[in-house]
Amino acid sequence: DDGKLSFEEFKAYFADGILTTDELRELFYSIDGRQTNNLDTDKLSDYFSQHLGEYLDVLSALEKLNVAVLKAMDKTKEEYQGSSVLGQFVTRFMLRETSSQLLSLQMSLQCAMEAVEAQSSTAPVEVKVPEHLIIQKNNRRCGRRVQKNMCLSPTDPYSGILTTGVTVDTDENWCSQINRLQQLIDKLECQSPKLEPLKEDTLASTYKSNILLVQRQMSVTESDVEEFQKALKTYADTTANQNDNLHVSIQKLPEKSCYIIYEFWEDRISWMSYLQSDASKMFQRCIIDMLEDPEIVSTMLMPASWWIMTNN
């Protein structure tokens, strides 16, 4: 809170697992100029201001968007409960549509960020962070992941408006989710998996080393299940016919209107390109009002040799 950063504070915030500690230290001192351990935040701001490029317009637009969203949310809080049924419906729709657009944009940014990080380092270097600063960094990264999977932050006082029409306190629900996650982690840690002996991947030099698995989870409202199934079948058939798509599989969770789509792609670029296709965008627009919660998307790279051996 003194308006200056020590190197430890600088490293805790900017360490990305790619730059080494020495590279971060070199950057720190090049910005500081005085070779001290007390970097003025104004210098840090000036440094990034010189390198914004196209992102100057992006950040300016985000600042205006932030103000506009907060203004709209304040207006919603004041007028929602006193509005007519139709007025409340329109408000809920606008909130849901705005959230969906922001999530779609964020997903594109997330994919781009993961792609450039993957290109920057094939063997990421772990940068050790002081223990007293780990909590701050983890909270920031967790927040980025949570935004992908939730319509509004669970601590946001307006989040209850989306489904109930009134402001609700969701801290208890949030804590419950954290506890469930902790229990799952505990179970995984207690298990003793039997790993096979290390084997040399003889196919690595012949085929591409990795393929991408995309998992998409969607919770559908009961009244829209039939229409959703039709849209899903069309999407699955179209996706399976893509040259870069290896396989599409769909599972429905028992006793729930929840569907999980597994998409196997030759590489991340192929999937990112397909996200911008007419078929993908049409599917997203078609199902947006059918989902009870925002879609949850996760990706994982798999050794291509596993896929090749399995299919042979």
Side-chain angles (χ1 to χ4, degrees):
D1 296 329
D2 58 0
K4 299 180 184 297
L5 292 175
S6 67
F7 175 67
E8 295 300 324
E9 292 172 325
F10 178 86
K11 181 170 66 172
Y13 191 85
F14 288 103
D16 60 358
I18 297 177
L19 290 184
T20 65
T21 298
D22 290 339
E23 289 171 332
L24 285 169
R25 183 177 288 106
E26 181 181 353
L27 175 61
F28 176 82
Y29 287 127
S30 67
I31 297 174
D32 186 18
R34 296 175 299 174
Q35 301 296 307
T36 67
N37 194 36
N38 216 15
L39 174 60
D40 194 308
T41 53
D42 288 338
K43 287 188 175 182
L44 189 64
S45 177
D46 292 340
Y47 172 80
F48 281 103
S49 296
Q50 298 171 10
H51 299 82
L52 288 178
E54 292 297 326
Y55 286 92
L56 176 61
D57 293 336
V58 174
L59 294 174
S60 298
L62 286 175
E63 184 176 2
K64 295 177 181 178
L65 176 62
N66 186 52
V67 172
V69 170
L70 291 177
K71 183 178 179 181
M73 296 299 288
D74 287 339
K75 196 71 172 179
T76 298
K77 181 180 179 182
E78 294 175 2
E79 300 181 352
Y80 183 83
Q81 293 186 4
S83 300
S84 64
V85 173
L86 180 57
Q88 291 183 351
F89 164 76
V90 173
T91 298
R92 292 194 302 272
F93 169 76
M94 296 307 299
L95 283 169
R96 187 168 64 247
E97 182 66 16
T98 301
S99 176
S100 175
Q101 294 290 340
L102 292 176
L103 285 170
S104 177
L105 176 61
Q106 185 177 11
M107 185 183 298
S108 298
L109 288 171
Q110 183 71 25
C111 289
M113 185 179 65
E114 292 177 353
V116 297
E117 287 180 350
Q119 293 174 6
S120 298
S121 176
T122 55
V125 179
E126 181 179 357
V127 180
K128 295 184 179 180
V129 180
E131 293 183 1
H132 69 284
L133 294 173
I134 289 178
I135 295 178
Q136 298 177 4
K137 182 177 178 182
N138 287 346
N139 285 344
R140 182 174 69 256
R141 291 188 173 178
C142 288
R144 186 177 68 188
R145 301 295 182 186
V146 168
Q147 289 172 0
K148 286 181 64 178
N149 299 337
M150 302 192 67
C151 192
L152 289 175
S153 170
T155 57
D156 193 317
Y158 303 119
S159 60
I161 294 177
L162 281 176
T163 55
T164 64
V166 296
T167 302
V168 295
D169 182 4
T170 56
D171 286 344
E172 182 178 350
N173 183 44
W174 183 235
C175 292
S176 175
Q177 294 184 39
I178 294 177
N179 290 335
R180 289 175 58 190
L181 178 59
Q182 184 61 52
Q183 292 174 3
L184 177 59
I185 293 174
D186 291 342
K187 288 182 179 179
L188 292 175
E189 289 179 345
C190 291
Q191 293 179 356
S192 300
K194 297 180 180 179
L195 302 179
E196 296 181 357
L198 179 63
K199 297 180 180 179
E200 181 180 357
D201 188 354
T202 57
L203 299 177
S205 60
T206 308
Y207 300 93
K208 292 183 178 180
S209 58
N210 292 304
I211 62 174
L212 181 71
L213 168 61
V214 181
Q215 177 180 306
R216 307 176 60 179
Q217 181 171 324
M218 307 175 187
S219 298
V220 187
T221 56
E222 292 291 344
S223 58
D224 294 316
V225 169
E226 186 174 348
E227 288 299 319
F228 175 82
Q229 290 176 339
K230 294 179 181 178
L232 180 59
K233 184 180 186 306
T234 300
Y235 171 79
D237 291 343
T238 303
T239 303
N241 289 328
Q242 300 300 308
N243 292 332
D244 297 330
N245 181 268
L246 302 174
H247 184 67
V248 178
S249 178
I250 301 173
Q251 288 189 343
K252 181 180 181 298
L253 298 185
E255 301 179 359
K256 292 183 180 179
S257 298
C258 182
Y259 294 80
I260 301 179
I261 308 175
Y262 297 95
E263 301 178 15
F264 294 84
W265 294 89
E266 288 189 355
D267 50 50
R268 185 180 296 276
I269 301 301
S270 300
W271 173 60
M272 291 172 60
S273 176
Y274 184 63
L275 287 177
Q276 305 304 320
S277 67
D278 292 339
S280 179
K281 291 182 178 180
M282 183 179 299
F283 178 65
Q284 292 288 349
R285 288 194 296 267
C286 181
I287 67 170
I288 186 171
D289 292 328
M290 302 179 185
L291 303 183
E292 290 185 344
D293 301 299
E295 176 186 350
I296 301 175
V297 181
S298 59
T299 62
M300 180 178 67
L301 289 175
M302 297 174 52
S305 58
W306 292 3
W307 176 265
I308 296 166
M309 287 185 293
T310 301
N311 284 274
N312 283 344

